[in-house]
């Protein structure tokens, strides 16, 4: 039995959409990493119960950290993106978290820059606060070990492709790292390397994999890209990248609900679109994509526009060999586990 709702919220469902396409569906994905991170900090003495934990968030992590603080008797202070909606603001307030939300801004780079600047101002005023640094501290990998165990037990690690938003680097990066470390059967050292490929999804405008020169005329896909370097992103874990526009992700989100009854967010729609392509591209592999949260925060901006959504059968990525050739609405590039390039 769970001891707190956060444990239940963070436990994903594995849903088989067809014979080779599987959805790893979370209610709130970052509850997994936030719970494990806070527990680790308490166990190592880095923080004590009653301390204030501080971080910046576009939405999902804010809720996850508030839940983790509620679970372990901590205080929570969030510097929030413009994408934090009224429902989340209310939940944070009732949970006892405090929120400072940035003024409306359509520029991802400016929004993230202002949030980081505000974090530093708060730390100068309150040096006793602990900055969680979800973008840079790899303690946020820890919670995904149990998720990887469940995937391994259910699907195995033979010819498995994991698809999902890159974001801070913790979720897809951690899953690939833990799954690849799993024993895969008999071998010289008692096991063989797991055959797990990792495909990342990015929005246009994100610098993480060199697309800072591109722009999307529609709204930002929150949480899966960045305008500043994230040290939690291990570029060498990724085999391929998809850059997906808002319009294409909207089509994916609508089709995911219409075809499979999975009500999920915009990043999930982008991951679903990329996963369907990878399934066709590699018919011998099972493809699992990450659905990071439910679709409630996108009901008005995405699902309500279902009548204008493109048919996903009419969408296909443009294959590119370097970032200078990226073009909307959808581009794909082999990354081949290369190290980071300069943004």
């Amino acid at each position: 039995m769970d001891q707190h709702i956060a444990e239940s919220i963070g436990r994903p469902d594995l849903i088989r959409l067809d014979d080779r396409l599987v959805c790893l569906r979370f209610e709130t994905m970052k509850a997994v990493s936030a719970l494990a991170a806070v527990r680790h900090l308490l166990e190592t003495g880095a923080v004590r119960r009653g301390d204030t934990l501080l971080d910046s968030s576009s939405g999902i992590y804010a809720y996850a950290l508030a839940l983790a603080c509620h679970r372990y008797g901590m205080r929570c202070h969030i510097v929030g993106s413009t994408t934090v909606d009224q429902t989340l603001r209310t939940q944070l307030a009732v949970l006892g978290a405090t929120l400072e939300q940035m003024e409306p801004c359509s520029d991802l780079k400016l929004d993230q820059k202002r949030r980081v600047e505000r974090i530093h101002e708060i730390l100068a005023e309150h040096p006793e606060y602990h900055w969680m640094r979800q973008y840079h501290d790899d303690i946020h990998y820890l919670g995904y070990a149990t998720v990887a165990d469940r995937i391994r037990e259910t699907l195995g690690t033979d010819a498995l492709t994991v698809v999902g938003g890159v974001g801070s680097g913790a979720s897809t990066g951690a899953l690939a790292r833990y799954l690849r470390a799993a024993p895969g059967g008999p071998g010289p050292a008692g096991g063989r390397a797991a055959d797990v490929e990792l495909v990342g999804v990015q929005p246009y405008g994100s610098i993480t994999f060199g697309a800072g020169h591109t722009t999307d005329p529609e709204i930002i896909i929150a949480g899966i890209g960045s305008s500043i370097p994230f040290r939690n992103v291990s570029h060498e874990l990724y085999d391929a990248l998809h850059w997906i526009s808002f319009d294409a992700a909207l089509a994916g989100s609508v089709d995911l609900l219409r075809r499979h009854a999975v009500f999920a967010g915009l990043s999930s729609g982008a991951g679903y679109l990329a996963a369907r392509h990878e399934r066709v591209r590699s018919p011998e592999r099972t493809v699992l994509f990450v659905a990071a949260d439910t679709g409630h925060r996108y009901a008005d901006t995405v699902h309500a526009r279902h009548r204008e959504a493109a048919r996903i059968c009419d969408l296909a990525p443009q294959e590119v060999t370097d970032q200078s050739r990226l073009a909307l609405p959808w581009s794909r590039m082999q990354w081949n586990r290369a190290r980071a390039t300069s943004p």
Side-chain angles (χ1 to χ4, degrees):
M1 181 180 296
D2 293 325
Q3 301 302 308
H4 192 273
I5 187 64
E7 296 160 5
S8 175
I9 287 174
R11 186 180 305 111
D13 303 309
L14 277 168
I15 306 167
R16 186 174 291 280
L17 303 188
D18 65 26
D19 60 335
R20 291 188 302 103
L21 184 63
V22 178
C23 176
L24 182 68
R25 183 232 178 232
F26 290 86
E27 182 173 341
T28 299
M29 180 184 70
K30 290 192 176 181
V32 175
S33 57
L35 275 175
V38 174
R39 183 168 57 248
H40 177 79
L41 290 171
L42 284 166
E43 290 172 350
T44 58
V47 300
R48 295 178 298 178
R49 289 182 183 270
D51 285 353
T52 297
L53 305 184
L54 167 72
D55 216 341
S56 164
S57 173
S58 61
I60 299 176
Y61 187 79
Y63 180 48
L65 185 58
L67 287 171
C69 287
H70 188 278
R71 167 71 175 85
Y72 290 112
M74 316 291 288
R75 294 184 176 88
C76 178
H77 187 87
I78 298 293
V79 178
S81 168
T82 60
T83 56
V84 177
D85 61 21
Q86 180 59 46
T87 299
L88 180 53
R89 289 196 296 271
T90 301
Q91 287 176 289
L92 293 175
V94 175
L95 284 168
T98 53
L99 170 69
E100 293 185 42
Q101 188 169 12
M102 296 291 100
E103 292 297 318
C105 177
S106 60
D107 186 318
L108 174 65
K109 183 174 183 177
L110 181 57
D111 178 61
Q112 290 184 323
K113 181 175 181 290
R114 290 191 306 184
R115 281 189 276 145
V116 172
E117 288 173 348
R118 180 57 187 147
I119 290 284
H120 287 291
E121 291 174 356
I122 293 170
L123 289 171
E125 298 166 6
H126 298 280
E128 73 279 10
Y129 286 8
H130 182 87
W131 183 13
M132 291 298 294
R133 300 168 73 248
Q134 64 150 322
Y135 305 133
H136 309 301
D137 192 334
D138 63 6
I139 61 170
H140 291 91
Y141 274 52
L142 298 175
Y144 294 101
T146 56
V147 179
D149 287 342
R150 185 174 176 203
I151 294 169
R152 183 184 308 114
E153 292 166 3
T154 306
L155 298 176
T157 55
D158 185 20
L160 176 67
T161 298
V162 176
V163 179
V166 177
S168 69
S171 57
T172 50
L175 288 175
R177 184 170 290 173
Y178 288 125
L179 288 168
R180 287 171 182 167
R192 65 171 183 266
D195 179 12
V196 177
E197 293 188 352
L198 179 60
V199 177
V201 179
Q202 287 270 273
Y204 290 92
S206 173
I207 72 164
T208 308
F209 285 89
H213 62 288
T214 63
T215 57
D216 189 331
E218 274 279 11
I219 69 170
I220 297 164
I221 303 178
I224 66 171
S226 176
S227 66
I228 58 177
F230 288 168
R231 287 197 294 276
N232 268 344
V233 177
S234 296
H235 294 72
E236 64 275 12
L237 293 174
Y238 294 83
D239 295 281
L241 276 299
H242 288 252
W243 288 268
I244 295 179
S245 71
F246 171 87
D247 287 337
L250 182 151
S253 298
V254 169
D255 192 86
L256 181 59
L257 179 57
R258 179 179 288 137
R259 191 185 302 260
H260 300 290
V262 176
F263 184 47
L266 195 59
S267 67
S268 304
Y272 168 66
L273 202 61
R276 285 176 56 92
H277 177 79
E278 295 298 325
R279 182 194 57 175
V280 173
R281 184 184 180 89
S282 301
E284 75 285 1
R285 305 185 68 83
T286 296
V287 181
L288 175 144
F289 73 95
V290 178
D293 62 349
T294 66
H296 294 88
R297 64 196 290 225
Y298 293 106
D300 293 334
T301 57
V302 174
H303 300 91
R305 297 171 60 179
H306 61 92
R307 291 183 180 84
E308 66 187 75
R311 298 187 308 166
I312 60 171
C313 61
D314 294 333
L315 298 172
Q318 172 180 296
E319 293 286 338
V320 300
T321 55
D322 65 76
Q323 294 93 324
S324 68
R325 298 180 179 275
L326 292 176
L328 276 73
W330 181 6
S331 297
R332 181 190 185 278
M333 188 174 84
Q334 284 297 126
W335 188 259
N336 299 321
R337 306 192 188 182
R339 293 189 177 277
T341 56
S342 299

